[in-house]
Short mmCIF file of all heavy atoms in Angstrom, two decimals:
data_model
loop_
_atom_site.label_atom_id
_atom_site.label_comp_id
_atom_site.label_asym_id
_atom_site.label_seq_id
_atom_site.Cartn_x
_atom_site.Cartn_y
_atom_site.Cartn_z
N VAL J 1 -78.08 198.42 29.02
CA VAL J 1 -77.25 198.16 30.21
C VAL J 1 -76.43 196.90 29.97
O VAL J 1 -76.94 195.89 29.47
CB VAL J 1 -78.14 198.00 31.45
CG1 VAL J 1 -77.30 197.67 32.68
CG2 VAL J 1 -78.94 199.27 31.70
N LEU J 2 -75.14 196.96 30.35
CA LEU J 2 -74.25 195.82 30.14
C LEU J 2 -73.86 195.18 31.47
O LEU J 2 -73.40 195.87 32.38
CB LEU J 2 -72.97 196.28 29.42
CG LEU J 2 -73.14 196.94 28.05
CD1 LEU J 2 -71.79 197.47 27.56
CD2 LEU J 2 -73.73 195.96 27.05
N SER J 3 -74.03 193.87 31.57
CA SER J 3 -73.59 193.15 32.76
C SER J 3 -72.15 192.65 32.61
O SER J 3 -71.48 192.38 33.60
CB SER J 3 -74.50 191.96 33.04
OG SER J 3 -75.79 192.41 33.39
N SER J 4 -71.71 192.52 31.36
CA SER J 4 -70.33 192.07 31.12
C SER J 4 -69.86 192.56 29.77
O SER J 4 -70.67 192.86 28.88
CB SER J 4 -70.25 190.54 31.18
OG SER J 4 -71.02 189.97 30.13
N MET J 5 -68.54 192.64 29.62
CA MET J 5 -67.91 192.96 28.34
C MET J 5 -66.60 192.20 28.25
O MET J 5 -65.86 192.13 29.25
CB MET J 5 -67.56 194.46 28.23
CG MET J 5 -68.69 195.43 28.16
SD MET J 5 -68.08 197.14 27.82
CE MET J 5 -67.40 197.60 29.43
N THR J 6 -66.31 191.64 27.10
CA THR J 6 -64.95 191.17 26.86
C THR J 6 -64.12 192.38 26.47
O THR J 6 -64.67 193.44 26.11
CB THR J 6 -64.90 190.14 25.73
OG1 THR J 6 -65.31 190.79 24.51
CG2 THR J 6 -65.80 188.95 26.01
N VAL J 7 -62.81 192.24 26.51
CA VAL J 7 -61.92 193.32 26.09
C VAL J 7 -62.23 193.74 24.65
O VAL J 7 -62.33 194.94 24.34
CB VAL J 7 -60.44 192.90 26.25
CG1 VAL J 7 -59.52 193.83 25.48
CG2 VAL J 7 -60.06 192.87 27.73
N ALA J 8 -62.43 192.77 23.78
CA ALA J 8 -62.72 193.07 22.37
C ALA J 8 -64.02 193.86 22.23
O ALA J 8 -64.10 194.83 21.45
CB ALA J 8 -62.80 191.78 21.55
N GLU J 9 -65.04 193.46 22.99
CA GLU J 9 -66.32 194.19 22.95
C GLU J 9 -66.16 195.61 23.48
O GLU J 9 -66.69 196.57 22.89
CB GLU J 9 -67.37 193.44 23.77
CG GLU J 9 -67.87 192.16 23.12
CD GLU J 9 -68.70 191.30 24.06
OE1 GLU J 9 -68.61 191.47 25.30
OE2 GLU J 9 -69.45 190.45 23.55
N ALA J 10 -65.43 195.75 24.58
CA ALA J 10 -65.24 197.07 25.18
C ALA J 10 -64.51 198.00 24.21
O ALA J 10 -64.87 199.19 24.09
CB ALA J 10 -64.45 196.93 26.49
N ILE J 11 -63.49 197.47 23.52
CA ILE J 11 -62.75 198.29 22.55
C ILE J 11 -63.68 198.72 21.41
O ILE J 11 -63.67 199.88 20.97
CB ILE J 11 -61.53 197.52 22.01
CG1 ILE J 11 -60.48 197.36 23.12
CG2 ILE J 11 -60.92 198.22 20.79
CD1 ILE J 11 -59.34 196.41 22.78
N SER J 12 -64.51 197.80 20.96
CA SER J 12 -65.46 198.10 19.88
C SER J 12 -66.44 199.20 20.30
O SER J 12 -66.67 200.16 19.56
CB SER J 12 -66.21 196.83 19.49
OG SER J 12 -67.17 197.10 18.51
N TYR J 13 -67.00 199.09 21.50
CA TYR J 13 -67.93 200.10 22.00
C TYR J 13 -67.22 201.45 22.16
O TYR J 13 -67.79 202.50 21.88
CB TYR J 13 -68.51 199.69 23.36
CG TYR J 13 -69.34 198.43 23.35
CD1 TYR J 13 -69.29 197.53 24.42
CD2 TYR J 13 -70.20 198.12 22.28
CE1 TYR J 13 -70.06 196.37 24.44
CE2 TYR J 13 -70.96 196.96 22.29
CZ TYR J 13 -70.88 196.08 23.36
OH TYR J 13 -71.64 194.93 23.37
N MET J 14 -65.98 201.40 22.63
CA MET J 14 -65.19 202.61 22.81
C MET J 14 -64.98 203.32 21.47
O MET J 14 -65.16 204.54 21.37
CB MET J 14 -63.84 202.23 23.44
CG MET J 14 -63.10 203.34 24.11
SD MET J 14 -61.75 202.69 25.14
CE MET J 14 -60.68 201.92 23.93
N GLU J 15 -64.63 202.53 20.45
CA GLU J 15 -64.39 203.10 19.12
C GLU J 15 -65.67 203.65 18.49
O GLU J 15 -65.62 204.57 17.68
CB GLU J 15 -63.77 202.04 18.20
CG GLU J 15 -62.33 201.71 18.57
CD GLU J 15 -61.76 200.52 17.82
OE1 GLU J 15 -62.54 199.78 17.17
OE2 GLU J 15 -60.52 200.33 17.89
N GLU J 16 -66.81 203.11 18.92
CA GLU J 16 -68.10 203.63 18.43
C GLU J 16 -68.52 204.91 19.14
O GLU J 16 -69.54 205.52 18.79
CB GLU J 16 -69.19 202.56 18.60
CG GLU J 16 -69.04 201.36 17.67
CD GLU J 16 -69.94 200.19 18.06
OE1 GLU J 16 -70.86 200.39 18.89
OE2 GLU J 16 -69.73 199.08 17.53
N GLY J 17 -67.74 205.32 20.15
CA GLY J 17 -68.01 206.59 20.83
C GLY J 17 -69.04 206.54 21.93
O GLY J 17 -69.67 207.55 22.26
N HIS J 18 -69.24 205.36 22.54
CA HIS J 18 -70.27 205.22 23.57
C HIS J 18 -69.88 205.85 24.91
O HIS J 18 -70.76 206.11 25.73
CB HIS J 18 -70.60 203.74 23.78
CG HIS J 18 -71.46 203.16 22.71
ND1 HIS J 18 -72.80 203.43 22.60
CD2 HIS J 18 -71.16 202.32 21.68
CE1 HIS J 18 -73.30 202.78 21.56
NE2 HIS J 18 -72.33 202.09 20.99
N PHE J 19 -68.59 206.05 25.16
CA PHE J 19 -68.15 206.45 26.50
C PHE J 19 -67.55 207.85 26.47
O PHE J 19 -66.63 208.14 25.71
CB PHE J 19 -67.13 205.43 27.04
CG PHE J 19 -67.61 204.01 26.93
CD1 PHE J 19 -66.83 203.04 26.31
CD2 PHE J 19 -68.85 203.63 27.44
CE1 PHE J 19 -67.26 201.72 26.19
CE2 PHE J 19 -69.29 202.32 27.33
CZ PHE J 19 -68.50 201.36 26.70
N ALA J 20 -68.04 208.71 27.36
CA ALA J 20 -67.63 210.12 27.35
C ALA J 20 -66.24 210.30 27.94
O ALA J 20 -65.94 209.76 29.00
CB ALA J 20 -68.64 210.95 28.15
N PRO J 21 -65.38 211.08 27.27
CA PRO J 21 -64.06 211.41 27.83
C PRO J 21 -64.25 212.14 29.16
O PRO J 21 -65.18 212.93 29.33
CB PRO J 21 -63.45 212.35 26.78
CG PRO J 21 -64.20 212.08 25.52
CD PRO J 21 -65.58 211.69 25.95
N GLY J 22 -63.37 211.87 30.12
CA GLY J 22 -63.46 212.52 31.43
C GLY J 22 -64.57 211.95 32.30
O GLY J 22 -64.78 212.38 33.42
N SER J 23 -65.30 210.95 31.77
CA SER J 23 -66.39 210.35 32.53
C SER J 23 -66.23 208.82 32.50
O SER J 23 -65.42 208.27 33.23
CB SER J 23 -67.73 210.80 31.93
OG SER J 23 -68.80 210.25 32.65
N MET J 24 -66.95 208.12 31.63
CA MET J 24 -66.87 206.65 31.59
C MET J 24 -65.66 206.15 30.81
O MET J 24 -65.15 205.05 31.09
CB MET J 24 -68.16 206.07 31.01
CG MET J 24 -68.26 204.56 31.08
SD MET J 24 -68.03 203.85 32.75
CE MET J 24 -69.61 204.28 33.51
N LEU J 25 -65.18 206.92 29.83
CA LEU J 25 -64.09 206.44 28.97
C LEU J 25 -62.85 205.99 29.75
O LEU J 25 -62.37 204.87 29.52
CB LEU J 25 -63.72 207.51 27.93
CG LEU J 25 -62.62 207.11 26.95
CD1 LEU J 25 -63.00 205.89 26.12
CD2 LEU J 25 -62.27 208.28 26.02
N PRO J 26 -62.29 206.79 30.67
CA PRO J 26 -61.09 206.32 31.38
C PRO J 26 -61.35 205.08 32.24
O PRO J 26 -60.44 204.27 32.44
CB PRO J 26 -60.67 207.52 32.23
CG PRO J 26 -61.86 208.41 32.29
CD PRO J 26 -62.63 208.18 31.03
N LYS J 27 -62.58 204.92 32.72
CA LYS J 27 -62.91 203.73 33.52
C LYS J 27 -62.86 202.47 32.64
O LYS J 27 -62.30 201.44 33.04
CB LYS J 27 -64.29 203.90 34.15
CG LYS J 27 -64.34 205.01 35.19
CD LYS J 27 -65.74 205.38 35.58
CE LYS J 27 -65.75 206.45 36.66
NZ LYS J 27 -64.94 207.65 36.35
N VAL J 28 -63.45 202.58 31.46
CA VAL J 28 -63.43 201.44 30.53
C VAL J 28 -62.00 201.16 30.07
O VAL J 28 -61.57 200.01 29.98
CB VAL J 28 -64.37 201.70 29.33
CG1 VAL J 28 -64.24 200.60 28.28
CG2 VAL J 28 -65.83 201.79 29.81
#
């Protein structure tokens, strides 16, 4: 569980495939 993310961290997590398209990905 994440309480905070910097933009750089969020991009890194996104590129690692942590966020589902049509679900959490567009929110991030």
Side-chain angles (χ1 to χ4, degrees):
V1 178
L2 301 174
S3 294
S4 64
M5 292 187 285
T6 64
V7 164
E9 287 169 341
I11 291 170
S12 177
Y13 297 143
M14 199 167 64
E15 289 171 348
E16 290 168 13
H18 283 286
F19 310 127
S23 181
M24 187 55 74
L25 182 61
K27 294 167 178 52
V28 173

